Amino acid sequence: MSERHRYQAEIQQLLDIVIHSLYTDRDIFVRELVSNAADACEKLRFLQSSGTAPFQPETALAISVKTDDKANTITITDTGIGMTNGDLVENLGTIAHSGTKAFLKQLAETQKPDARLIGQFGVGFYSAFMVAAKVTVLSRSHKPDEQGWRWTSENAGGYEIEPAADLPRGTQVIVQLKDDAKDFAQEAHVKRIVQRYSSFIQFPIELNGTRLNTIQAIWSRSKNEITDADYNSFYQYVGHDHEDPLLRLHFTADAPLAIQALVFVPKSNWENMGLGRTEPGVNLYCKKVLIQDHAKNLFPEWLRFLKGVVDSEDLPLNISRETMQDTALLKKLNQVLTGRFLKFLDETAEKDAALYEKFYAEYARCLKEGVATDFAHREALGKLLRYESSTTEKGKLTSLADYVKRMPSDQKEIFYLLAPNREAAEGSPYYEVFQSRGYEVLFLQDPWDEFVMEHLHEFDKKPLRAAEKAELDVTTPPAVEGALSDADAESLAKWLKEKLADRVGAVRASKRLVNSPAVVVDADRMMTSSMRRILKAVQKDKEAGPEARQDLEINLRHAIIVRLAKMRETDEPLAVKVAEQVLDNARVAAGLLDDPRAMLKRLNELLEQVLTVKG
Ligand code: ADP
Ligand code: MG
């Protein structure tokens, strides 16, 4: 008696794309099915190592691939963990993981979906439908009191499951090939594909009865006997990627822990493509036995983009995956691995700046997340940050270390200024004082970056300081005729405060301005105007608290301020309008003016008056 099942909607969508629009890189389905067979064997080996007795314990763990050019099939068989009826429904018909759902949603929405990422998102099995007219899965679970099942699917609509008698332990996937995919029933064609990955598989694998691999874990071999091509194939196998990796680190350590690690950075950061959050991609082994795939906590969250393998013989082999999560040993391992990887990045930046730039373009966000969340590695991460600055050419980045090297001896702090782009930064009133002193300023463009600077706090013992918080004076103020005296300034400031009332905090003379008449400065020592802006956006729906007031600083040498001081006596109503406009202009420069419409009305009135006087 067979049961009919429908696929979950997302899987149906995926299959429609896989079946109807994927004609390139079809080879990957072989890799995906072989990798599932290897996973199934790894899982059984792990169960055995922790004392569970499987069905048919005498059957050795192995994988076989068979091509049949008469029947037009390719069949992948393993003696691994197998699946029960429930497992089949759950594993080959539904998906739970949210990252996968995001991936599938994006696939369904984009014009040219790149379904080659399919293995990456834990749905590699379905790649078989690129070439299949029909897929049959025969499976017998390792659980002694279970039975065998036959799962069949001919299209994206659904699948059937029925009992199958006398199956040996494990799983057999029979792919009945479509007419345009007959290549995969040819031994020579399949051999080329399987051979690429066979040497990374920890179990014997044979093709049509001929053994293809000798088993030796690539990460335990010495570096000088491994070619780039070997490394790249291994990466594609563990990373389920169709491209070569961007970076790789292969290292061995004896103390404080015995570690063999081979980790890779993919060319692209999937998260930048809106594909949801990446799952950790490094598998944890102990003496070549897989303890946990996609191991959580092996690396910190912000390194979740890494793919590869870590093998440590210091781990207890029979440890359960659950207790694995929090052991002190794992924490130690995490620390050592993270430290080593950061050192590697630093060395890469040193040796090959262009390569590091590529890495940074893809993964800067992850490093910044590290600064904000990982106190232990903050300093090392600080060295890896790169920003545009007033000294770099447009579009070029500098490290903080190079910035420090360029600091004149009287400069005590590292300054940064957030602006949407370089032009806005250079034109900002907050930048004037730095330009006059010849101090370099980092130009941040991502609102995140201010928080990153806050968390980093200092670099090379130099405090990091927001430009608008810097307490600096313009070195040699240009002598301007008619500049306000201290007494005039004081009386003007008092008048401004009176007229602008609760729209400003304090009003005072500024020492930081050259070309601008005024700036607003947040009275809070820590808060910058962009933080204020973000806070405002976040709190929009909450009960409105008291509006934060900025202090107004005025430039005593600026013509507008000088003339404004006089106009108080000749035409006070007009002077008030100008004062209000000066404040709003300063707010615009700080990015803090929410609704420019009130300001426009006033500006029009001012223009009208100007034209009356001149006309
Ligand atoms: P992933 O391997 O990333 O989990 P797949 O789509 O390749 O995603 O496979 C889905 C699931 O189906 C696997 O997680 C596994 O539970 C099950 N599965 C697939 N092939 C086999 C197999 N040969 N033996 C046992 N289980 C399998
Ligand atoms: Mg898989």
Side-chain angles (χ1 to χ4, degrees):
M1 251 258 305
S2 88
E3 284 174 67
R4 269 209 75 70
H5 295 262
R6 299 204 65 75
Y7 285 114
Q8 199 185 14
E10 286 93 345
I11 303 267
Q12 255 175 48
Q13 273 180 353
L14 169 71
L15 283 176
D16 278 331
I17 295 166
V18 167
I19 292 169
H20 300 296
S21 48
L22 276 180
Y23 301 100
T24 53
D25 298 296
R26 284 172 150 197
D27 294 1
I28 65 163
F29 93 89
V30 179
R31 180 191 74 200
E32 291 302 326
L33 295 184
V34 168
S35 106
N36 283 351
D39 291 350
C41 292
E42 301 265 23
K43 286 176 191 162
L44 192 79
R45 180 159 68 179
F46 181 83
L47 283 176
Q48 280 176 315
S49 72
S50 49
T52 310
F55 176 63
Q56 295 180 338
E58 70 288 351
T59 305
L61 290 168
I63 300 166
S64 101
V65 180
K66 280 210 168 63
T67 53
D68 183 337
D69 55 5
K70 295 203 180 60
N72 218 6
T73 56
I74 174 171
T75 303
I76 291 103
T77 311
D78 67 70
T79 56
I81 196 169
M83 285 179 274
T84 63
N85 186 323
D87 292 339
L88 284 165
V89 172
E90 197 171 306
N91 299 336
L92 307 183
T94 44
I95 37 154
H97 178 235
S98 61
T100 307
K101 284 197 176 157
F103 165 65
L104 295 180
K105 186 160 175 283
Q106 212 221 6
L107 267 189
E109 284 167 2
T110 41
Q111 284 289 327
K112 265 190 69 201
D114 193 350
R116 290 175 300 184
L117 302 177
I118 190 166
Q120 180 74 41
F121 287 90
V123 282
F125 172 77
Y126 304 98
S127 62
F129 287 90
M130 287 192 284
V131 296
K134 177 181 179 184
V135 178
T136 305
V137 179
L138 294 164
S139 199
R140 168 63 168 90
S141 165
H142 69 284
K143 292 180 183 152
D145 47 4
E146 271 291 338
Q147 64 169 109
W149 299 97
R150 177 195 315 274
W151 177 105
T152 46
S153 178
E154 291 191 54
N155 54 50
Y159 56 91
E160 289 177 26
I161 301 181
E162 61 189 331
D166 302 327
L167 295 182
R169 186 191 71 217
T171 301
Q172 182 164 66
V173 181
I174 306 160
V175 181
Q176 178 71 54
L177 296 161
K178 290 199 274 200
D179 286 345
D180 65 356
K182 284 183 175 162
D183 282 2
F184 295 98
Q186 300 294 332
E187 175 172 327
H189 184 75
V190 172
K191 186 172 179 185
R192 227 178 323 116
I193 303 170
V194 180
Q195 227 155 20
R196 279 193 68 193
Y197 308 113
S198 63
S199 57
F200 314 128
I201 293 166
Q202 302 302 302
F203 305 93
I205 177 165
E206 50 176 53
L207 174 62
N208 295 344
T210 311
R211 175 81 177 262
L212 289 181
N213 63 343
T214 52
I215 298 162
Q216 200 190 3
I218 184 172
W219 58 90
S220 66
R221 287 163 58 194
S222 108
K223 279 193 213 177
N224 47 29
E225 53 179 63
I226 310 172
T227 64
D228 282 349
D230 289 339
Y231 276 125
N232 291 347
S233 300
F234 177 67
Y235 163 72
Q236 294 188 343
Y237 179 75
V238 283
H240 301 266
D241 199 351
H242 60 283
E243 289 190 303
D244 289 342
L246 183 66
L247 301 174
R248 74 160 184 259
L249 168 63
H250 186 184
F251 81 94
T252 312
D254 299 320
L257 289 169
I259 298 173
Q260 290 173 324
L262 177 50
V263 292
F264 301 89
V265 177
K267 268 210 183 105
S268 352
N269 182 356
W270 317 127
E271 289 187 12
N272 294 349
M273 304 185 235
L275 293 178
R277 206 174 159 82
T278 309
E279 286 285 289
V282 181
N283 303 329
L284 180 61
Y285 285 75
C286 168
K287 302 195 188 93
K288 297 174 205 159
V289 175
L290 181 69
I291 304 287
Q292 196 177 30
D293 57 355
H294 307 287
K296 290 203 170 67
N297 305 339
L298 184 56
F299 283 92
E301 272 284 297
W302 55 270
L303 280 174
R304 59 186 173 276
F305 56 83
L306 290 178
K307 310 279 173 210
V309 166
V310 169
D311 193 324
S312 174
E313 57 183 63
D314 290 333
L315 292 168
L317 223 163
N318 60 356
I319 191 165
S320 90
R321 282 161 215 224
E322 287 69 39
T323 55
M324 190 63 225
Q325 301 302 328
D326 270 322
T327 58
L329 196 58
L330 195 62
K331 284 198 183 116
K332 186 84 215 152
L333 199 53
N334 180 315
Q335 240 177 42
V336 174
L337 290 167
T338 308
R340 185 65 188 81
F341 185 72
L342 285 170
K343 185 164 157 249
F344 162 72
L345 286 180
D346 200 39
E347 288 162 359
T348 305
E350 187 85 0
K351 267 191 273 182
D352 188 342
L355 180 61
Y356 182 75
E357 261 170 43
K358 268 194 203 150
F359 165 80
Y360 195 76
E362 288 292 318
Y363 298 99
R365 267 277 171 130
C366 298
L367 299 183
K368 290 172 189 176
E369 190 184 319
V371 173
T373 56
D374 196 340
F375 188 77
H377 299 105
R378 202 162 280 173
E379 231 179 280
L381 279 160
K383 283 197 210 164
L384 296 169
L385 297 177
R386 298 289 183 273
Y387 290 105
E388 211 169 315
S389 87
S390 52
T391 305
T392 66
E393 279 168 52
K394 184 180 168 68
K396 292 269 184 302
L397 308 179
T398 176
S399 67
L400 298 183
D402 286 342
Y403 176 108
V404 168
K405 275 187 216 146
R406 289 188 292 265
M407 278 167 73
S409 57
D410 65 332
Q411 185 184 340
K412 303 290 176 241
E413 297 168 310
I414 299 172
F415 300 106
Y416 58 86
L417 175 61
L418 180 81
N421 53 53
R422 187 181 185 94
E423 289 69 28
E426 285 171 344
S428 163
Y430 302 103
Y431 175 57
E432 292 175 1
V433 66
F434 299 95
Q435 196 176 27
S436 96
R437 297 188 76 111
Y439 287 176
E440 183 170 353
V441 178
L442 299 172
F443 292 157
L444 318 187
Q445 293 183 2
D446 182 348
W448 257 58
D449 282 322
E450 277 197 329
F451 292 98
V452 170
M453 291 291 147
E454 274 292 308
H455 280 284
L456 194 58
H457 198 64
E458 58 173 37
F459 180 82
D460 197 8
K461 307 232 164 57
K462 316 271 186 303
L464 290 155
R465 175 90 52 222
E468 61 182 90
K469 298 293 173 200
E471 283 166 9
L472 287 178
D473 304 347
V474 170
T475 37
T476 41
V480 173
E481 213 176 315
L484 297 184
S485 69
D486 286 355
D488 290 347
E490 202 171 305
S491 116
L492 177 63
K494 228 175 114 197
W495 179 83
L496 281 167
K497 173 64 194 160
E498 195 184 301
K499 298 299 168 194
L500 298 173
D502 54 6
R503 275 176 286 172
V504 289
V507 180
R508 61 177 168 270
S510 178
K511 294 177 182 139
R512 70 170 87 208
L513 294 175
V514 181
N515 299 317
S516 301
V519 278
V520 290
V521 179
D522 207 295
D524 186 315
R525 293 258 323 138
M526 304 309 287
M527 187 90 66
T528 64
S529 34
S530 72
M531 287 180 180
R532 179 73 70 200
R533 203 159 61 227
I534 291 170
L535 216 65
K536 250 175 141 171
V538 173
Q539 291 177 335
K540 198 161 60 198
D541 306 325
K542 300 209 187 116
E543 205 170 307
E547 177 77 3
R549 276 179 298 170
Q550 265 79 33
D551 291 348
L552 181 70
E553 290 189 7
I554 51 174
N555 180 356
L556 303 185
R557 293 177 301 274
H558 197 283
I560 292 183
I561 299 300
V562 172
R563 289 180 202 167
L564 177 63
K566 292 215 183 77
M567 186 176 271
R568 277 180 300 160
E569 278 120 47
T570 53
D571 184 348
E572 190 167 49
L574 182 57
V576 170
K577 247 183 227 169
V578 171
E580 287 170 339
Q581 190 61 36
V582 166
L583 171 62
D584 276 357
N585 288 354
R587 282 186 172 154
V588 170
L592 283 172
L593 193 72
D594 288 333
D595 183 1
R597 280 171 296 193
M599 184 266 264
L600 277 185
K601 182 164 167 281
R602 184 193 319 115
L603 194 53
N604 283 333
E605 286 166 15
L606 286 170
L607 289 175
E608 201 181 314
Q609 294 204 20
V610 170
L611 294 170
T612 318
V613 172
K614 298 277 177 191

